[in-house]
């Protein structure tokens, strides 16, 4: 918005100067307005969609104490910090969908403030910082994961504030800043392992800034000791991390790297659509958007670099480029693939910052062109946010839209109080258990657990919702709802059970029914 006004031919240089003075004077008000609008966009989509498996796993895990959380997540793939924080959040705000998802919005806001501080520090200009925050707030993939009960916005917040602390520490060489930086390095590793790629991006940037061919200067005492501190803080979890990578990464569910992966990375960021979905007008829109981004970078990158200090733009370039490239390389055969866009969400955010900075920088020499580029990119962003609203929790790996909440709501309308719900598998149980109630408690048969490691391992040791003897359970409950995710008609777990009624949840995206439930009379012979 600031750029659109400043580049308009209706405004002379004096007006532009006054606009710049207003931005500098009222920058915190402007920042507050951007964050408020962003919060409204996120909150508007926060409760429209059912909690999906990853979120349900997070909430289920948060019911235990901190020691048990560490134990159970050690059987899965991630470290425990986010789950610990989620538990505290739930204790205060409850475990509704709004409550558990709003933690991610809180982290997103903390991260955006950190982003503002970083860009303000490296450019000394509030318009650049405000434009960066606005660009990220309009990035569809960031909007999407700001209302998901997972750790990705926490990673973003840690990376942004660690980046600011690094800039300050290198400038002042203050000991407590280096201690804080080392602590943030460890906090990031306790949140998500691939945040290490952001720290490697910091390494790449620091090498460019301070080395000039002198390795000894790179390994300055303060730099070494802050990493020793980080490793020391993380050491207690390091053996678990090694075991997780050794056990889980073999034959993992993540799809392999293909030539389409880099393009998919960009279409997901800008449109929240997979490459396979970019057909027809969407393909034309993608071509135009990529061309606009190329023009913006071509005309603005050099000027943006000149208007920053201490290699600030190079730092964002490093954050935007190093993590996704390293993650792709680490996902190449013979290694198992680990490349998922959201694992390096902070890199997509860094790219959005670079684009916004280049737009402002190039506006001085190419005002008309950059004004049109800005309009196009805003339209692209709004279309992408529209896709976020449309697809919601759609699982792009399984090509399913999660409808557990609708299914349980339909059971509550059609059934009677006291009729339990039995999930066909632990996978279905996790999603449905989030909506378990006193009138319709959710269970699953113990015989369906077939994993000693991963997301289901927690259920082996926890008896909540577990049916050890299905026959005995049926004797206690004459009428039982049985639910499953299938394209076919639902089949009861016991052949003698008699179907009384059926309900389902319609998937408006796939235009099909896959979430199904049947009410069975378990006493029928």
């Amino acid at each position: 918005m600031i750029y659109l006004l400043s580049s308009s031919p209706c405004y002379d240089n004096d007006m532009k100067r006054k606009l710049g003075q207003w931005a500098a004077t009222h920058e915190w008000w402007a920042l507050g307005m951007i964050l408020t609008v962003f919060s409204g966009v996120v909150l508007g989509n926060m409760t429209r969609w059912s909690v999906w498996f990853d979120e349900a796993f997070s909430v289920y895990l948060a019911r235990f104490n901190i020691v048990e959380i560490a134990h159970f997540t050690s059987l899965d793939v991630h470290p425990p910090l986010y789950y610990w924080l989620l538990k505290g959040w739930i204790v205060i705000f409850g475990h509704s969908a709004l409550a558990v998802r709003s933690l991610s919005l809180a982290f997103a806001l903390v991260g955006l403030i950190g982003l503002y501080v970083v860009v303000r520090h490296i450019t000394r200009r509030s318009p650049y910082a405000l434009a960066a925050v606005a660009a990220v707030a309009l990035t569809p993939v960031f909007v999407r994961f700001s209302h998901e009960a997972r750790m990705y916005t926490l990673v973003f917040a840690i990376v942004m504030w660690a980046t600011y602390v690094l800039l300050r520490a290198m400038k002042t060489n203050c000991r407590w800043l280096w201690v804080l930086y080392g602590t943030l390095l460890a906090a990031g590793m306790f949140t998500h392992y691939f945040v290490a790629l952001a720290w490697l991006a910091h390494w790449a940037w620091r090498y460019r800034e301070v080395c000039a061919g002198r390795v000894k200067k790179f390994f300055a005492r303060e730099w070494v000791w802050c990493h020793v501190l980080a490793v020391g803080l993380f050491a207690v979890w390091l053996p678990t991390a090694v075991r997780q990578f050794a056990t889980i990464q073999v034959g993992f569910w993540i799809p392999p790297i293909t030539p389409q992966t880099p393009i998919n990375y960009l279409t997901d960021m800008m449109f929240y659509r997979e490459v396979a979905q970019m057909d027809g007008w969407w393909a034309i829109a993608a071509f135009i958007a990529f061309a606009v981004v190329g023009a913006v970078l071509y005309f603005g990158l050099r000027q943006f670099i000149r208007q920053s200090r201490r290699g600030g733009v190079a730092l964002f370039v490093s954050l935007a480029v190093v993590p996704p490239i390293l993650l792709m390389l680490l996902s190449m055969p013979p290694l198992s693939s680990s490349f998922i866009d959201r694992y390096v969400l902070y890199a997509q955010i860094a790219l959005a910052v670079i684009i916004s900075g280049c737009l402002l920088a190039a506006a001085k020499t190419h005002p008309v062109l950059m004004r049109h580029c800005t309009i196009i990119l805003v339209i692209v962003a709004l279309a992408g946010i529209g896709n976020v609203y449309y697809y919601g929790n759609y699982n792009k790996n399984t090509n399913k839209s999660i409808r557990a909440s609708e299914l349980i709501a339909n059971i509550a309308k059609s059934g009677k109080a006291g009729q339990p719900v039995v999930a066909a598998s632990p996978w279905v149980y996790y999603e449905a258990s989030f909506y378990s109630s006193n009138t319709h408690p959710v269970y699953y048969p113990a015989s369906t657990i077939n994993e000693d490691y991963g997301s289901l391992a927690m259920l082996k040791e926890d008896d909540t919702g577990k049916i050890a003897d299905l026959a005995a359970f049926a004797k206690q409950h004459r009428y039982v709802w049985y639910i499953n995710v299938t394209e076919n008609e639902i089949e009861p777990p016991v052949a003698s059970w008699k179907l009384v009624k059926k309900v389902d949840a319609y998937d408006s995206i796939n235009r099909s029914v896959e979430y199904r439930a049947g009410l069975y009379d378990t006493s029928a012979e």
Side-chain angles (χ1 to χ4, degrees):
M1 181 63 70
I2 292 173
Y3 167 67
L4 287 173
L5 288 173
S6 64
S7 62
S8 173
C10 297
Y11 290 87
D12 56 18
N13 291 332
D14 184 60
M15 182 62 72
K16 293 179 182 179
R17 178 180 57 81
K18 291 180 179 179
L19 183 63
Q21 291 175 346
W22 180 90
T25 304
H26 302 281
E27 57 183 298
W28 289 107
W29 285 102
L31 177 62
M33 290 172 59
I34 295 172
L35 296 183
T36 300
V37 172
F38 168 74
S39 299
V41 171
V42 173
L43 287 169
N45 202 39
M46 187 169 285
T47 58
R48 294 178 63 242
W49 300 93
S50 175
V51 167
W52 76 291
F53 180 84
D54 281 10
E55 295 180 294
F57 175 82
S58 299
V59 177
Y60 198 96
L61 184 58
R63 70 177 61 189
F64 302 105
N65 62 47
I66 60 173
V67 175
E68 291 171 329
I69 289 174
H71 167 64
F72 287 131
T73 194
S74 73
L75 303 176
D76 191 47
V77 295
H78 294 303
L81 180 58
Y82 169 77
Y83 303 119
W84 287 337
L85 296 176
L86 179 62
K87 179 177 180 59
W89 187 266
I90 289 174
V91 169
I92 298 172
F93 297 103
H95 60 271
S96 66
L98 177 62
V100 299
R101 285 172 167 168
S102 61
L103 178 60
S104 293
L105 173 59
F107 288 138
L109 294 174
V110 171
L112 286 173
I113 295 172
L115 172 65
Y116 176 85
V117 172
V118 171
V119 179
R120 187 74 169 81
H121 179 78
I122 67 175
T123 63
R124 304 179 296 276
R125 294 175 174 87
S126 57
Y128 279 97
L130 292 173
V133 174
V136 173
L138 287 173
T139 300
V141 72
F142 184 64
V143 173
R144 167 65 182 87
F145 291 107
S146 293
H147 59 66
E148 175 157 315
R150 296 292 281 172
M151 68 285 294
Y152 308 114
T153 56
L154 173 58
V155 170
F156 162 62
I158 291 173
V159 169
M160 282 299 101
W161 284 104
T163 299
Y164 175 67
V165 172
L166 174 61
L167 288 167
R168 291 289 308 278
M170 288 183 58
K171 178 181 179 180
T172 64
N173 208 30
C174 179
R175 180 177 298 178
W176 77 267
L177 287 173
W178 285 115
V179 170
L180 180 57
Y181 180 68
T183 303
L184 289 172
L185 293 182
M189 293 301 295
F190 268 108
T191 304
H192 197 285
Y193 296 129
F194 289 138
V195 76
L197 302 177
W199 308 150
L200 291 178
H202 283 178
W203 278 51
W205 172 78
R206 175 178 164 82
Y207 182 85
R208 174 188 179 276
E209 288 297 302
V210 306
C211 267
R214 292 175 292 178
V215 177
K216 184 177 181 180
K217 189 175 181 180
F218 177 83
F219 290 103
R221 181 179 62 181
E222 296 80 6
W223 179 254
V224 172
W225 277 109
C226 77
H227 284 80
V228 170
L229 171 63
V231 173
L233 293 173
F234 186 67
V236 66
W237 190 257
L238 188 58
T240 300
V242 172
R243 178 166 54 85
Q244 285 177 318
F245 274 94
T247 306
I248 289 294
Q249 290 303 314
V250 178
F252 206 33
W253 57 271
I254 299 176
I257 295 291
T258 69
Q260 290 185 334
T261 300
I263 302 175
N264 195 88
Y265 178 81
L266 295 175
T267 59
D268 189 51
M269 169 190 167
M270 300 179 70
F271 294 93
Y272 196 65
R273 290 177 75 96
E274 302 288 298
V275 171
Q277 299 173 308
M278 301 300 292
D279 53 2
W281 287 104
W282 286 108
I284 297 174
F287 178 81
I288 294 173
F290 291 161
V292 167
V293 170
V296 169
L297 295 177
Y298 177 80
F299 288 108
L301 186 57
R302 183 174 299 177
Q303 296 180 57
F304 187 30
I305 291 173
R306 290 173 180 171
Q307 294 177 19
S308 66
R309 60 178 176 176
R310 290 205 58 85
V313 176
L315 176 55
F316 275 99
V317 170
S318 185
L319 283 170
V321 173
V322 172
I325 289 179
L326 287 180
L327 190 55
M328 287 184 191
L329 292 176
L330 291 172
S331 300
M332 295 290 186
L335 299 175
S336 298
S337 179
S338 300
F339 190 87
I340 293 291
D341 295 355
R342 59 183 179 269
Y343 288 176
V344 287
L345 176 64
Y346 54 83
Q348 293 173 310
I349 291 170
L351 179 57
V353 171
I354 294 169
I355 294 171
S356 69
C358 290
L359 271 172
L360 279 182
K364 294 183 178 180
T365 55
H366 301 82
V368 177
L369 175 61
M370 291 302 109
R371 183 170 69 252
H372 286 88
C373 288
T374 302
I375 293 172
I376 292 172
L377 291 180
V378 169
I379 293 173
V380 167
L382 294 177
I385 293 174
N387 285 330
V388 171
Y389 267 64
Y390 176 74
Y391 285 105
N393 59 10
Y394 190 82
N395 191 320
K396 298 179 181 180
N397 295 108
T398 61
N399 294 321
K400 293 184 185 296
S401 184
I402 314 303
R403 302 287 171 172
S405 63
E406 293 97 320
L407 186 64
I408 299 299
N410 290 340
I411 288 174
K413 292 178 182 178
S414 300
K416 296 181 179 180
Q419 295 172 342
V421 177
V422 177
S425 71
W427 308 102
V428 179
Y429 168 72
Y430 269 128
E431 292 178 355
S433 67
F434 185 86
Y435 302 98
S436 180
S437 65
N438 292 331
T439 56
H440 294 287
V442 180
Y443 301 89
Y444 70 97
S447 59
T448 57
I449 303 177
N450 54 12
E451 294 188 14
D452 294 324
Y453 206 92
S455 302
L456 304 188
M458 174 169 55
L459 300 182
K460 276 187 169 291
E461 300 183 33
D462 176 49
D463 292 332
T464 304
K466 184 184 294 183
I467 302 175
D469 186 337
L470 192 59
F473 182 85
K475 290 180 179 180
Q476 298 174 2
H477 304 279
R478 178 175 178 178
Y479 292 102
V480 172
W481 288 95
Y482 187 68
I483 64 174
N484 200 3
V485 180
T486 176
E487 297 178 359
N488 305 316
E489 290 297 322
I490 194 167
E491 296 291 337
V494 179
S496 62
W497 289 9
K498 182 181 178 180
L499 181 65
V500 177
K501 67 174 63 175
K502 297 187 294 183
V503 299
D504 55 42
Y506 180 70
D507 182 355
S508 59
I509 297 176
N510 286 345
R511 298 181 180 179
S512 63
V513 172
E514 295 181 356
Y515 277 74
R516 303 176 184 271
L519 177 63
Y520 290 91
D521 184 348
T522 64
S523 65
E525 294 295 337

